[in-house]
Amino acid sequence: MGQYGVLVDITKCIGCRGCQVACKNWNDLPATKTTFTASRTNPPQMNFNNVTLVNFHTIEKGDKVQWRAVKMQCFHCLEPICFEACFVHAYKKTPEGAVVYFNPEICTGCRYCQLACPFLNIQLKWDEVFSRVRKCDMCYDRLVRGLKPACVATCPTGALKFGERDALLKEARERIAKNPDKYVDHIFGEKEVGGTSWLYISDVPFEELGFRTDVMHESIPKYTWKYISKAPILAVGLPILFAAFYVYTKRRAENEDGGH
């Protein structure tokens, strides 16, 4: 069994926001107070209580102005830089493909993972001194029970399709090949930052839909290690420093538990 993923066909999304509601329901996330804005995106941005969001974009196609709705969340990179940046190993890269914030009790709140994320899809609880992280975990508790992510299960139009990543890539290529006048000849997530578990196909260029199209195609951890490994002091000294931070945060977590 290969890694799982989700294929998002933007042409099929009607912007119902059912995926947002399903995400909140399954993960028991509170509602977000919103105010009137000129945008259809509601809530206006991802935050600690909104880890999936349908963004609305106005695009010009031919002589018409149209709307496109795009579901956003953590892309679950095949080689996640958030996992590599976390020196206390609060993250876990699962065999199923989901990247999970697995050990929040040892997190130092350093925010390195958020700064490292090329897609800016990691959210923090800013009103805490040691900020905890929240991100889409691809409903990992559902995956291990053989269920689809909640957002996929609730999508009424088939805009979201769950399956093995290789099979989804094959299907995406087939859809593009059969409808060359409909789709842009690009699968976002196939190669970006070494590949992601969430894959997108679209009828308009991805840069018009808010995607980071300037990211490298090579895995970021592989790219950065080329240079870190050439600095012996950093290569030897950083693990020692990170180990010290780990011991500190582990003891802090134990003390907090003991105080309750």
Side-chain angles (χ1 to χ4, degrees):
M1 181 70 69
Q3 292 192 78
Y4 291 112
V6 178
L7 175 61
V8 183
D9 189 334
I10 292 172
T11 69
K12 294 185 177 184
C13 182
I14 59 175
C16 70
R17 302 186 183 92
C19 53
Q20 289 184 189
V21 176
C23 178
K24 280 186 174 289
N25 284 343
W26 184 258
N27 295 291
D28 195 24
L29 299 177
T32 302
K33 292 182 179 180
T34 58
T35 58
F36 176 79
T37 67
S39 172
R40 289 190 180 186
T41 302
N42 184 21
Q45 59 187 11
M46 275 195 268
N47 58 38
F48 191 72
N49 292 321
N50 302 298
V51 294
T52 190
L53 184 68
V54 177
N55 287 319
F56 287 80
H57 300 270
T58 304
I59 60 103
E60 293 185 12
K61 194 170 184 183
D63 58 351
K64 296 181 179 179
V65 176
Q66 302 178 4
W67 287 96
R68 289 294 180 275
V70 182
K71 181 188 183 301
M72 286 292 184
Q73 69 297 302
C74 169
F75 287 177
H76 297 277
C77 301
L78 302 187
E79 296 187 53
I81 188 63
C82 58
F83 171 81
E84 298 292 341
C86 182
F87 53 80
V88 297
H89 303 298
Y91 284 89
K92 178 181 179 180
K93 176 67 170 69
T94 70
E96 293 83 2
V99 181
V100 182
Y101 182 57
F102 207 70
N103 296 306
E105 68 279 358
I106 64 173
C107 176
T108 67
C110 69
R111 304 176 177 87
Y112 287 171
C113 57
Q114 187 187 47
L115 294 171
C117 177
F119 302 111
L120 306 177
N121 287 335
I122 295 177
Q123 310 306 314
L124 298 176
K125 191 171 179 59
W126 291 101
D127 56 355
E128 293 182 350
V129 175
F130 292 97
S131 302
R132 293 297 184 259
V133 169
R134 184 173 283 157
K135 61 182 285 299
C136 164
D137 62 4
M138 211 154 76
C139 288
Y140 185 64
D141 54 344
R142 292 174 62 93
L143 298 191
V144 295
R145 288 188 281 171
L147 301 174
K148 300 176 182 178
C151 58
V152 177
T154 200
C155 181
T157 64
L160 307 178
K161 181 170 184 178
F162 175 75
E164 289 192 48
R165 184 176 184 272
D166 289 344
L168 294 176
L169 278 171
K170 180 180 178 182
E171 180 167 341
R173 294 189 190 104
E174 289 175 351
R175 291 191 196 183
I176 293 172
K178 290 179 180 178
N179 302 278
D181 297 331
K182 178 179 180 180
Y183 293 104
V184 174
D185 188 14
H186 180 64
I187 304 170
F188 192 93
E190 179 180 13
K191 297 180 179 178
E192 280 76 10
V193 297
T196 63
S197 295
W198 280 73
L199 306 165
Y200 290 77
I201 55 176
S202 171
D203 61 336
V204 295
F206 287 101
E207 57 267 22
E208 296 182 21
L209 301 175
F211 284 79
R212 285 286 309 276
T213 56
D214 58 341
V215 295
M216 64 184 70
H217 281 190
E218 188 175 0
S219 161
I220 295 178
K222 286 182 179 179
Y223 187 84
T224 52
W225 182 248
K226 290 179 184 178
Y227 300 97
I228 294 176
S229 62
K230 293 178 181 178
I233 294 177
L234 287 176
V236 175
L238 284 179
I240 296 174
L241 177 62
F242 293 165
F245 273 114
Y246 173 78
V247 171
Y248 162 73
T249 53
K250 186 173 185 294
R251 287 178 178 173
R252 177 172 64 82
E254 290 172 350
N255 290 336
E256 289 177 354
D257 291 340
H260 293 295

